[in-house]
Amino acid sequence: MDHNDVIDIDIGAGTTAPSGDDLGVDRPLVDYVTGDSSPSLSRVPSAHTDGTAFPGRSGIGEFYLPEGDLHDLEPSKGMYFESEEAAKAFYNSYARRIGFSTRVSSSRRSRRDGAIIQRMFVCAMEGFRNSNEKRTRDREIKRPRKLTRTGCRASITVKMKEAGKWVVCGFVREHNHELLPPDRVHILRSHRQISGPAKTLIDTLQAAGMGPRKIMSALIREYGGISKVGFTEVDCRNYMRFNRQSSLECDVQILLDYLRQMRAENPSFFYVVEGDGDNQGLSNVFWADSRAQLNYTYFGDTVTFDTTYRSNKYRLPFAPFTGVNHHGQPVLFGCAFVANESQASFVWLFRTWLMAMSGRPPVSITTDYDTVVGAAIAEVFPDIRHRFCKWHIFKKCQEKLSQVFLEHPTFEAELHKCVNFSESVEEFESCWLPLIERYGLTENEWLQTVYSARGHWVPAYLRNTFFAEMSITQRSDGMNSYFDGYINASTGLNHLFKLYQKAVDCRNEKEVKADFDTMNIPPVRRTPSPMEKQASELYTKSLFTRFQEELVGTLTYMASKVEDDNQIVTYQVCKYGEDHKAYHVKFNILEMKASCSCQMFEFSGLLCRHVMAVFRVNNVLTLPPQYILRRWTRNAKSSITLEIPAKNVFTNYLESHAVRYNTLRHEAFKFIEQGLESADVYGVAMSALGEAAKKVASALKGEGKASVVNGHAGEHSGHGMILTDRQSNRDQSTASHVLSEEEKDRRIRELTHDLEAAKMKCDAYRSNLLSLLKEIEDHKQQLAAEVQIVRSSMRDCL
């Protein structure tokens, strides 16, 4: 071909590249589907006039090198290659050996067919950056890149000759900058390429759930050094992102199809997709079936939201909303995929979930330690108690304080003891600060961060809020365990929903089995206590077992009265022989209310052994109704509300000798205080006491009865005074009037008696009806459990 046929010059990669870093130290590779990196020079045959092709991956981006020993070979005029790619690969291999990076600069095209007939390959530092004034005039450059071009003139020019051969027609050896040594040349952009075997290893480790940093560590160990890997962590990270995006675009449609199918099968199925619903606009997804919504109506007082459950190959947080049912088992309230972990995304998700749950917020919520999630909860749920999962914080402590744990083997145990076993805020504060100072960690940034958030994760600050956990020091089964054993890091969306449904079915069967055991296997009682018998008939089997532990534990505890203010009595409760570790219980016997310093009932909904020890010394034989939470009972999911009649409650209440004693004492003290106001009142009070003493003595001997007013013996104006017969003091002139009043009183008493009798009959009928309804409900639940077991057996057989 004659030189006269060349008519134009086309700038390829250009001498005026935009604001990129031509050294490529921090810039990621763009082409992730190109072939393997160029073979090392030691593997290239000796130079020859012919060229040998080294095919790339899938036939894309092939690399060509001339045959021959190129270890010391450098470009020279007259050298020719089989193709343009062969020339490019040769110059790049030469550049790797010398210590610089290359790029394509300019090209020439043929006038006849527009084919490229001349190429110039240059040093990456050739030319100077051309500032495009039109592009940058009206906008601020937020991250100006470092100037890397120095006007270097090193280059090689190749021209196509007859028979398609490419001949070197120009070569400039000299550089105007320092060249990199062999141990650093791998960071130059033209030499950073992910080989086929490296891609295979990255794909395998990514599917196993490893991140870019750990994958690079594995590659460095595999290849024997960072310089032999051939690319940087930035390249690895972007290659993994490219893989995830390619897979996600295919699997997103699977997700949308599943949600639409579930909605078509069940109109009550709830799902929302943030964005426009197509592959490109998908951001966050939430769904909840009808069972999840129903579970929330029964057990939605406390919720766990876990974003650490990154159980899919895209590293998207699969975030379930869970709770605890009446057997202490985890129960599902809905699930979400969180593609964008920003505060706005979590705000959207919490509002969407609240809408699905009929707008009723929980009492408390537990999440992993995440300030973004915390800010979103504060915005959507300003009135609920937010707790960070303590065990997630301890797990992070193992990462953040690994060096401290190695240097001080006893620090971790002391840290756990300080957090878990501090009974009060004051005790925690007095323990934490000396502990941190003793180990010289007052300036530790991580410990300062978690200490500033102590109100959200240290148990001493959270005991007064219900979290449905049986122990403050042990981990709840509901946290991060609902899908354990079903979904893992290699699970794709095409399999995730099958495993999701399998996990839901398994959890439901476990609940049915627990219901069946509760209804059909009588619990073994360990004491003759009426309270234990009552609890065995009310609580589910697992919760009764936990309650039984506390009840039996009272046998080793002693309750001693330390303060009495006439209404509230304070007891000191401690285990026998452990007086140094005492709990304090305040007991209002008139209202039958007790509160313990351990606050177990507030935290878990079950009475602690300390309160029950106080009940024992006060002859309180059964649990007061306010200490029986419906959510822990057998009828937690029943539509029938079984209430104890008020008459029976009052009767049982008065059966306690201690109650009668404290009631009389309370009224007597009020009477005494009033009698001390003046001498006249004192005289009246003494006279009244004398009359009351006679009446009481008469009642004890059975010689008389107190007057009855409105069906209640001995009540008058709240002063505890007994009505007496004053007819002997009545004037004879008003005798007819007195008789008329007595007739009225008699009539009122008769009507009152009839009314009481009618009430008793109503109570009896109501009690019988409730008993019948309870039997029907129990039978219904038993049949449902048996049906589920039969279905499960049939599925196993199939």
Side-chain angles (χ1 to χ4, degrees), residues 589-607:
I589 200 163
L590 294 177
E591 300 179 2
M592 294 296 286
K593 291 183 179 179
S595 62
C596 180
S597 58
C598 77
Q599 295 182 307
M600 177 177 166
F601 180 78
E602 291 81 356
F603 189 78
S604 67
L606 282 180
L607 273 181

Side-chain angles (χ1 to χ4, degrees), residues 356-647:
M357 300 297 120
S358 302
R360 180 171 64 90
V363 173
S364 60
I365 188 169
T366 302
T367 70
D368 61 296
Y369 180 60
D370 190 322
T371 55
V372 176
V373 174
I377 289 176
E379 181 176 345
V380 181
F381 307 111
D383 298 325
I384 72 172
R385 193 68 179 273
H386 177 208
R387 176 180 67 163
F388 292 132
C389 179
K390 176 182 58 179
W391 296 104
H392 285 166
I393 291 181
F394 279 144
K395 185 177 180 180
K396 285 185 174 290
C397 280
Q398 293 177 346
E399 301 174 4
K400 303 286 186 179
L401 305 175
S402 57
Q403 190 62 34
V404 177
F405 289 168
L406 288 175
E407 294 177 359
H408 307 286
T410 60
F411 175 71
E412 185 175 10
E414 291 189 46
L415 180 64
H416 278 262
K417 182 179 179 181
C418 175
V419 171
N420 289 327
F421 297 101
S422 295
E423 295 291 340
S424 64
V425 173
E426 294 76 15
E427 185 177 348
F428 169 77
E429 296 291 349
S430 63
C431 173
W432 176 276
L433 296 178
L435 173 66
I436 301 305
E437 291 176 357
R438 187 163 63 252
Y439 287 95
L441 300 172
T442 53
E443 302 299 325
N444 186 279
E445 184 177 351
W446 167 251
L447 288 176
Q448 288 180 346
T449 302
V450 296
Y451 177 74
S452 63
R454 59 192 180 280
H456 290 280
W457 66 277
V458 176
Y461 291 87
L462 300 164
R463 295 175 188 271
N464 61 347
T465 305
F466 182 75
F467 284 98
E469 292 185 16
M470 295 300 101
S471 174
I472 294 176
T473 60
Q474 297 177 359
R475 182 183 183 182
S476 170
D477 184 48
M479 188 66 181
N480 196 24
S481 63
Y482 191 93
F483 292 100
D484 280 359
Y486 296 93
I487 298 174
N488 54 48
S490 62
T491 305
L493 286 180
N494 54 338
H495 295 107
L496 183 140
F497 290 108
K498 294 180 181 178
L499 297 174
Y500 159 85
Q501 193 59 50
K502 187 176 180 180
V504 171
D505 291 342
C506 180
R507 291 293 182 184
N508 292 341
E509 288 185 8
K510 287 184 177 180
E511 181 177 326
V512 170
K513 178 65 166 56
D515 284 335
F516 182 83
D517 291 344
T518 296
M519 294 298 177
N520 294 277
I521 301 177
V524 178
R525 298 201 296 267
R526 299 166 62 182
T527 70
S529 167
M531 188 178 292
E532 184 180 13
K533 181 178 184 298
Q534 175 195 22
S536 68
E537 296 171 351
L538 291 173
Y539 289 131
T540 60
K541 183 179 179 182
S542 57
L543 266 294
F544 170 71
T545 300
R546 183 65 187 88
F547 172 83
Q548 192 178 53
E549 293 176 6
E550 293 298 316
L551 181 64
V552 174
T554 62
L555 301 177
T556 60
Y557 277 78
M558 300 180 298
S560 305
K561 188 187 301 183
V562 294
E563 186 179 347
D564 188 349
D565 67 352
N566 302 330
Q567 227 174 357
I568 298 177
V569 183
T570 302
Y571 290 86
Q572 177 176 293
V573 183
C574 57
K575 196 171 184 179
Y576 179 77
E578 297 182 4
D579 296 343
H580 61 284
K581 188 175 182 180
Y583 299 87
H584 292 86
V585 177
K586 293 185 177 181
F587 184 37
N588 186 332
I589 200 163
L590 294 177
E591 300 179 2
M592 294 296 286
K593 291 183 179 179
S595 62
C596 180
S597 58
C598 77
Q599 295 182 307
M600 177 177 166
F601 180 78
E602 291 81 356
F603 189 78
S604 67
L606 282 180
L607 273 181
C608 63
R609 59 191 62 189
H610 318 118
V611 170
M612 286 190 282
V614 172
F615 281 175
R616 188 181 70 243
V617 300
N618 284 278
N619 295 321
V620 179
L621 303 181
T622 58
L623 286 172
Q626 64 265 30
Y627 293 112
I628 303 173
L629 294 191
R630 180 182 174 85
R631 61 124 45 240
W632 292 134
T633 65
R634 301 178 175 207
N635 297 312
K637 300 177 71 172
S638 171
S639 58
I640 299 175
T641 303
L642 299 178
E643 298 178 352
I644 302 175
K647 181 178 178 64

